[in-house]
Amino acid sequence: QLQLVESGGGLVQPGGSLRLSCAASGSLDAYAIGWFRQAPGKEREGVSCVTSANTDINYVDPQKVRFTISRNYAANTVLLQMDSLKSEDTAIYYCAATTRWCTNDWRDFGSWGQGTPVTVSS
């Protein structure tokens, strides 16, 4: 099974930026990769997803103003650039892989990383 590892989380002030990275034990090219987040006491929600054909979908930021997902094929990673962060973006962020199409339902994804915490606070 594909092993995923997230990195890049941390503490940032409101309005700041972070770039999360998802690395894997094998090639990510054939997988749709999703970023999800889960805040304390809340359901896990889809943030963004990129298909194996490199089409991206944003669920929490449909205008793609604050969150941008991208693949780095050379490094075999999927990045989530997060700008203009707000306190409500505070959560554990996870990347996940599926051999099917992108969805914002975490149950459609079979491989998960351990998560990286993001805290937006002054």
Side-chain angles (χ1 to χ4, degrees):
Q1 191 173 359
L2 195 65
Q3 306 286 331
L4 302 176
V5 178
E6 304 93 337
S7 61
L11 173 64
V12 63
Q13 292 186 342
S17 297
L18 284 175
R19 186 172 70 175
L20 306 183
S21 179
C22 177
S25 56
S27 175
L28 293 174
D29 291 1
Y31 293 87
I33 305 299
W35 281 98
F36 293 80
R37 68 185 182 185
Q38 189 164 19
K42 294 189 176 181
E43 293 284 321
R44 188 169 298 191
E45 67 172 342
V47 176
S48 188
C49 188
V50 60
T51 70
S52 59
N54 207 26
T55 300
D56 61 288
I57 305 166
N58 278 279
Y59 300 114
V60 299
D61 178 37
Q63 303 303 315
K64 303 179 184 180
V65 174
R66 300 195 305 121
F67 291 179
T68 305
I69 192 171
S70 62
R71 287 184 181 267
N72 182 329
Y73 286 100
N76 192 41
T77 57
V78 173
L79 307 176
L80 182 68
Q81 178 68 38
M82 306 189 297
D83 299 316
S84 302
L85 284 163
K86 306 174 182 179
S87 58
E88 51 263 45
D89 296 318
T90 295
I92 306 293
Y93 283 71
Y94 302 87
C95 67
T98 180
T99 56
R100 300 190 289 178
W101 192 254
C102 280
T103 78
N104 62 351
D105 188 337
W106 62 268
R107 288 162 290 203
D108 291 331
F109 290 75
S111 299
W112 289 82
Q114 81 290 348
T116 185
V118 171
T119 303
V120 185
S121 175
S122 56

